[in-house]
Amino acid sequence: MSKKGVLLVNLGTPDSPETKDVRKYLDQFLMDERVIDIPKLNRMLLVKGIIVPFRSPKTSKLYKEIWGENGSPLLYYSEIQAKLLQEKLGDDYHVELAMRYQSPSIENALANLKAGLVKSIKVIPLFPQYASASSGSVMQLVMELVSKWPTIPPISFVSSFHDNRQMIEIFAENAKKHQPENYDHVLFSFHGLPERQLLKCDHTGNYCLKNADCCQTYNDTNKFCYSAQGHHTASLIAAEMGIDKDKYTVCFQSRLGKEPWVQPYTTDVLKKLAAEGKKKLLVFSPAFVADCLETLYEITVEYHEEFKTLGGEHVQLVESLNDHPKFIEALAEMAVS
């Protein structure tokens, strides 16, 4: 009997923390037309001529700080998630893991599903909130690759799961380990995006960024907006934990370049809170389903040190979903729906 195929796809990671592998990863990542959405020639000059040569050695040092005995934390947890999902779904399903950039590749994962003669494929990009540069890029590549097959099985995609009940519960559970009542303020720090990418998702042309509160209420007009989905995720976690609106802030990290990105920037929020006398911050990063460079280093090390120089005392990361059993349940429900 034919099995149903499930393809999990996360962002990606260098094959090693060495500069040559980081360079290879950054080149593939940043040359994606959906990640840096400018004309190809301009993108090539920017990425290959400026960003990759200068950032690779610096980023290599950061990866070396988080690289463990199991290698890249992102790949390690992603592999566990795929393994546990396969066990959860059983023999009627064939689960494959891929990374949008580097290894294991989407092309090889799809080839494995094709060789397994699966009768359908469910693609689950492991990004809770939809963005053209993440989920959209995965969907586009899958469709491009499968379009070349002589026989194309039924294929479906999970666009986003920003309001998934199990995910909300896991983040709340993980936060409770740190006794949130002992913190002065809570941050929900999402990966940033250029404002122009948010504007492209506004099909009305007259809603996005027209006022400061356009993302804070999730509705039919902004339902595909990354920022609006992020605010919705944060509000659901806050409600689960009983955190009042004035006790938390949604912000955005990992800005690249000088053009406007979605705001407020996490670094600016740190300065503001320190100036208000806040000493201890609890930080969620709900754009990620597995701890990675952005959580284990950018938040845990960089933001912690920055906050201390500003007069604060401690920045505490709330662990990601990683190998939590409830997240495997959530993936299983997505796979069979």
Side-chain angles (χ1 to χ4, degrees):
M1 182 177 176
S2 296
K3 298 183 178 184
K4 294 181 178 179
V6 179
L7 176 59
L8 302 180
V9 187
N10 213 321
L11 185 72
T13 181
D15 292 333
S16 83
E18 299 305 320
T19 301
K20 63 180 179 62
D21 287 326
V22 172
R23 176 187 290 267
K24 183 179 176 183
Y25 166 71
L26 289 178
D27 184 76
Q28 185 187 9
F29 174 33
L30 298 176
M31 278 302 297
D32 186 336
E33 64 184 0
R34 283 180 175 263
V35 173
I36 298 186
D37 53 334
I38 60 177
K40 186 173 182 179
L41 179 58
N42 293 350
R43 188 167 64 250
M44 288 181 66
L45 292 173
L46 178 63
V47 172
K48 296 180 180 292
I50 300 175
I51 299 178
V52 170
F54 285 96
R55 286 182 68 95
S56 296
K58 297 177 183 178
T59 305
S60 171
K61 292 179 182 178
L62 303 185
Y63 271 110
K64 287 176 181 177
E65 292 289 330
I66 68 163
W67 216 264
E69 59 181 19
N70 295 310
S72 161
L74 177 67
L75 179 57
Y76 171 71
Y77 282 118
S78 297
E79 288 176 336
I80 291 177
Q81 289 165 358
K83 177 178 178 290
L84 294 176
L85 179 60
Q86 180 67 76
E87 293 174 358
K88 181 80 173 177
L89 292 175
D91 294 337
D92 291 337
Y93 287 81
H94 177 166
V95 178
E96 286 284 334
L97 170 69
M99 295 288 159
R100 175 60 183 86
Y101 312 105
Q102 298 302 291
S103 302
S105 71
I106 292 177
E107 185 173 13
N108 286 343
L110 285 171
N112 291 339
L113 291 171
K114 182 181 179 184
L117 303 176
V118 296
K119 59 185 177 183
S120 64
I121 299 175
K122 172 64 72 70
V123 182
I124 307 177
L126 293 170
F127 312 107
Q129 300 78 28
Y130 175 87
S132 172
S134 54
S135 304
S137 179
V138 169
M139 294 174 182
Q140 178 176 328
L141 182 57
V142 168
M143 289 187 285
E144 288 175 354
L145 292 168
V146 174
S147 69
K148 300 172 184 177
W149 293 4
T151 303
I152 301 176
I155 298 178
S156 59
F157 298 88
V158 174
S159 176
S160 70
F161 50 96
H162 64 281
D163 55 355
N164 181 270
R165 188 70 236 162
Q166 291 102 318
M167 179 184 73
I168 301 303
E169 291 173 356
I170 295 167
F171 275 118
E173 287 176 19
N174 288 347
K176 289 174 183 176
K177 301 174 187 175
H178 302 290
Q179 298 179 306
E181 64 275 8
N182 294 331
Y183 289 82
D184 300 315
H185 200 75
V186 173
L187 298 187
F188 292 95
S189 184
F190 293 83
H191 198 287
L193 281 179
E195 286 187 351
R196 69 171 185 272
Q197 294 191 10
L198 294 188
L199 290 167
K200 285 182 178 181
C201 291
D202 180 10
H203 302 303
T204 69
N206 58 11
Y207 184 87
C208 183
L209 302 179
K210 297 301 181 183
N211 64 73
D213 300 329
C214 64
C215 294
Q216 295 186 22
T217 301
Y218 183 65
N219 54 56
D220 283 343
T221 304
N222 64 16
K223 62 185 176 184
F224 296 119
C225 171
Y226 172 79
S227 176
Q229 289 189 0
H231 277 84
H232 193 210
T233 301
S235 68
L236 292 173
I237 297 173
E240 180 73 15
M241 297 183 63
I243 302 173
D244 294 335
K245 180 67 177 176
D246 63 340
K247 298 296 183 182
Y248 74 87
T249 301
V250 174
C251 48
F252 300 87
Q253 64 186 86
S254 309
R255 182 185 178 197
L256 176 64
K258 297 181 179 180
E259 68 175 299
W261 280 41
V262 59
Q263 298 182 44
Y265 305 135
T266 302
T267 52
D268 290 345
V269 174
L270 292 178
K271 293 173 185 175
K272 177 178 179 292
L273 294 174
E276 293 174 355
K278 302 292 192 295
K279 297 298 183 182
K280 298 179 68 177
L281 306 179
L282 188 65
V283 183
F284 293 84
S285 192
F288 302 98
V289 302
D291 281 315
C292 53
L293 186 67
E294 286 79 2
T295 63
L296 296 174
Y297 192 84
E298 190 169 4
I299 292 176
T300 303
V301 178
E302 288 185 351
Y303 289 156
H304 173 71
E305 292 177 353
E306 180 179 351
F307 191 55
K308 287 184 70 175
T309 64
L310 293 167
E313 295 177 1
H314 187 60
V315 169
Q316 175 62 55
L317 172 71
V318 176
E319 298 83 354
S320 193
L321 309 179
N322 296 331
D323 57 354
H324 197 291
K326 278 189 179 179
F327 183 52
I328 308 307
E329 292 177 14
L331 289 175
E333 289 180 8
M334 293 181 221
V336 303
S337 63

